[in-house]
Amino acid sequence: MKTFVHRGQITKVVFGSGTRSRIPEEADALGCRRVLVLSAPGQVGQAAEVHDVLGGAAVGTFTEAAPHTPVEVTENAVAYARTVGADSVLAVGGGSTIGLGKAIALRTGMPQLALPTTYAGSEMTPILGETEGHRKTTRRLPQVLPRTVVYDVDLTLTFPAAASVVSGINAMAHAVEALYAQDRDPLAFLMAGEALESLTRSLPVVAQRPDDGEARADALYGAWLAGTCLGTVGMALHHKVCHVLGGTFGLAHAETHAVVLPHVVAHNAAAAPEAMARIAGALSAPDAASGLFDFARRLGAPGALRDLGMPESGIEQAAELIVRDGYWNPRPVERASVHALLTDAWAGRRPRTPPGDGPRPSESATHNSTITGARHA
């Protein structure tokens, strides 16, 4: 008999082609009359288009969203929102812009809508990660969950192939950790498996033919499922590692996920056999860790943290930060094993699966079972 708790979430999802034309209708349904459009500097054109679609309901655009949601950028955005009298925000873009929308919503209470253009998945989660100085903190806050998410496949057709690949692997990481999450449930397991199937099927096509509408729809569908998993169950070591590396060294978010994921999967392999079997099956690979490593390399994703700008001297600091907070993971998180994982990821080596001496998920559920890292990482 399965014993579980399923936590649903209330976000309206509109998925299809050309769906951005429905944004005025969706904003009106939420009572939003003065919408501030958000974007990163590289998506000013898309923000302007959405501003035009909103017509008189748009009161301005703020186009300075930055990776890892720096607090100083958020403060500038909040000040601008007050200056123009905004009553809501609409984030157009990926995780950086959607993170900014969440940070504004937290500080002002304004409702938010999201129009994702990448596969980051942040739009389906109540997770907010913010950076101040060189420290990134993440929190799970129901009030930052977007009210409505509009997925328009057409907006992803111009998403560059290389960026699409790493963004898609970032989405795969959400699904992977949902398979062995402490609070996993049957629905999350099904969604995670379906997400992996969709992404492993579509990303190779997107890498070769970025304008393939069917592959783009399949990838965005997989990213939605993976993001929903991220929003409903906790994550573990992989997300903790990536947030530490991103916040401490300013590494690109999706690229860091692509490098780290096979190594964390190797670390957790013996403690999560059911999850590993599902991952390997989706990849048609003999084992999950090698399958993920080879999949990413075939698609041209970066393979080493050193290539992303992380100094070798940072391995010690990162290992210390990763193990400092107690959080759940299917295999105990120890400094020596984390240091080895980071060393391999920094150098770009193939992942090494440790001996099968880790506890099974049912046994490890009592290890470091505080929520801090698993829920927030």
Side-chain angles (χ1 to χ4, degrees):
M1 181 179 68
K2 293 182 182 292
T3 300
F4 62 89
V5 174
H6 173 69
R7 180 181 58 239
Q9 56 190 51
I10 303 174
T11 297
K12 182 178 181 180
V13 173
V14 179
F15 190 102
S17 173
T19 49
R20 63 189 180 280
S21 65
R22 289 186 51 171
I23 287 174
E25 174 186 343
E26 299 301 334
D28 186 67
L30 295 176
C32 302
R33 304 289 184 264
R34 299 181 61 80
V35 183
L36 173 61
V37 179
L38 309 173
S39 82
Q43 293 175 298
V44 172
Q46 288 179 325
E49 179 187 349
V50 172
H51 187 284
D52 291 344
V53 170
L54 280 165
V59 295
T61 59
F62 183 89
T63 59
E64 299 173 21
H68 307 295
T69 318
V71 169
E72 60 270 23
V73 174
T74 298
E75 291 171 347
N76 291 337
V78 168
Y80 179 72
R82 289 173 175 154
T83 297
V84 299
D87 66 5
S88 53
V89 293
L90 168 60
V92 182
S96 297
T97 307
I98 292 165
L100 176 60
K102 291 178 176 183
I104 295 171
L106 177 65
R107 288 162 173 80
T108 65
M110 290 193 294
Q112 56 178 317
L113 301 89
L115 181 63
T117 61
T118 74
Y119 307 134
S122 175
E123 66 279 356
M124 292 305 300
T125 81
I127 300 170
L128 172 62
E130 298 181 282
T131 303
E132 190 165 16
H134 292 288
R135 180 171 175 79
K136 184 169 184 176
T137 59
T138 57
R139 293 175 287 172
R140 182 175 287 262
L141 305 161
Q143 60 266 43
V144 306
L145 185 69
R147 299 277 295 279
T148 300
V149 177
V150 178
Y151 289 99
D152 190 336
V153 174
D154 297 353
L155 289 179
T156 66
L157 294 174
T158 56
F159 190 23
S164 297
V165 164
V166 293
S167 184
I169 297 173
N170 180 10
M172 291 174 69
H174 307 331
V176 164
E177 293 225 298
L179 291 172
Y180 54 64
Q182 182 181 21
D183 53 356
R184 65 194 181 280
D185 62 59
L187 183 56
F189 196 92
L190 289 169
M191 287 192 298
E194 175 75 358
L196 289 172
E197 295 280 359
S198 296
L199 290 162
T200 55
R201 180 173 60 236
S202 59
L203 290 179
V205 180
V206 168
Q208 295 296 319
R209 300 193 302 275
D211 59 350
D212 188 307
E214 289 298 320
R216 286 292 191 178
D218 204 13
L220 194 59
Y221 167 72
W224 164 61
L225 290 174
T228 302
C229 291
L230 177 64
T232 55
V233 300
M235 298 287 107
L237 177 61
H238 172 78
H239 282 75
K240 179 68 173 181
V241 171
C242 291
H243 285 172
V244 166
L245 295 178
T248 305
F249 305 107
L251 306 188
H253 183 75
E255 288 82 351
T256 303
H257 277 272
V259 172
V260 169
L261 183 60
H263 299 280
V264 174
V265 166
H267 177 280
N268 286 335
E274 185 181 12
M276 298 303 139
R278 188 67 183 92
I279 299 163
L283 291 161
S284 299
D287 73 89
S290 293
L292 286 166
F293 183 85
D294 292 337
F295 180 76
R297 299 298 83 71
R298 285 198 304 272
L299 297 188
L305 292 174
R306 63 184 176 189
D307 295 337
L308 304 183
M310 179 181 171
E312 186 174 12
S313 60
I315 294 174
E316 293 283 348
Q317 180 186 6
E320 183 62 34
L321 290 171
I322 290 164
V323 303
R324 186 170 64 187
D325 298 324
Y327 59 97
W328 189 88
N329 187 65
R331 178 188 172 198
V333 178
E334 299 169 345
R335 195 179 189 286
S337 58
V338 169
H339 190 282
L341 178 162
L342 290 171
T343 300
D344 286 346
W346 182 85
R349 301 189 185 106
R350 291 186 67 82
R352 293 182 289 179
T353 302
D357 58 355
R360 293 299 191 230
S362 60
E363 299 170 336
S364 63
T366 59
H367 178 81
N368 279 346
S369 59
T370 60
I371 296 301
T372 303
R375 303 300 312 167
H376 297 167

